Amino acid sequence: MEKIKALFEKNKEVVLYLVFGALTTAVNYVVFALCRELLHLPLLVANTVAWILAVLFAFATNRKYVFNSKNGNVWKELILFVGARVLSFLLFDQLTMYLMVNLLHINEYIAKLIANVFVIVFNYVASKLVIFKQKRD
């Protein structure tokens, strides 16, 4: 048990990022499905609505629980966070969805899961190295 505890402590940030990344993905996926199935929104509109709500959820959880930011400049972090998310949204989420669904004719829900893998990796790197970068002693 001590080995597991030590392993968790050593990798706490990555584990928490994966947990909250999975929850963010769930928020994104559920909102996307609700927008498509209940509201009958077009593909990319539903994807955009889902993205906005997922970004807000991700910022709050990443700032507080994953990267434990003590930076008093929340607005600067939010702007950097949203900026990085816009980039990943356009490059990985929207473009991947468009290519896989419209050109490759992959099921939109499978395409959404695949796109989110790319998004999660890019967002972790951006958050770790730029947005919530902490000065280390």
Side-chain angles (χ1 to χ4, degrees):
M1 189 63 162
E2 289 300 318
K3 287 183 182 182
I4 293 172
K5 196 175 192 181
L7 185 63
F8 173 77
E9 285 302 318
K10 182 179 177 187
N11 300 295
K12 183 178 180 180
E13 185 178 277
V14 173
V15 170
L16 289 174
Y17 186 81
L18 291 173
V19 167
F20 287 107
L23 291 172
T24 299
T25 300
V27 167
N28 189 311
Y29 199 80
V30 167
V31 171
F32 174 76
L34 291 173
C35 287
R36 290 293 283 160
E37 302 301 326
L38 293 179
L39 301 176
H40 307 289
L41 294 177
L43 177 74
L44 298 182
V45 173
N47 200 41
T48 302
V49 171
W51 176 82
I52 290 168
L53 293 177
V55 166
L56 293 174
F57 176 81
F59 177 73
T61 57
N62 277 246
R63 185 174 198 283
K64 183 171 182 170
Y65 300 111
V66 178
F67 297 104
N68 197 24
S69 177
K70 304 290 188 220
N71 185 342
N73 195 343
V74 176
W75 287 109
K76 179 181 177 185
E77 286 182 344
L78 180 61
I79 290 166
L80 288 171
F81 191 86
V82 170
R85 290 324 190 257
V86 166
L87 186 60
S88 70
F89 173 67
L90 294 175
L91 290 178
F92 300 111
D93 204 350
Q94 291 287 72
L95 184 60
T96 301
M97 288 292 288
Y98 177 80
L99 292 173
M100 286 195 287
V101 173
N102 294 322
L103 299 181
L104 300 175
H105 306 290
I106 294 173
N107 176 280
E108 63 189 45
Y109 296 102
I110 294 171
K112 185 76 177 149
L113 288 174
I114 294 168
N116 273 294
V117 171
F118 295 113
V119 168
I120 288 169
V121 171
F122 176 85
N123 289 342
Y124 177 77
V125 171
S127 292
K128 174 80 174 164
L129 299 180
V130 178
I131 301 160
F132 300 112
K133 183 176 158 185
Q134 306 251 342
K135 293 181 181 171
R136 307 285 183 214
D137 294 333

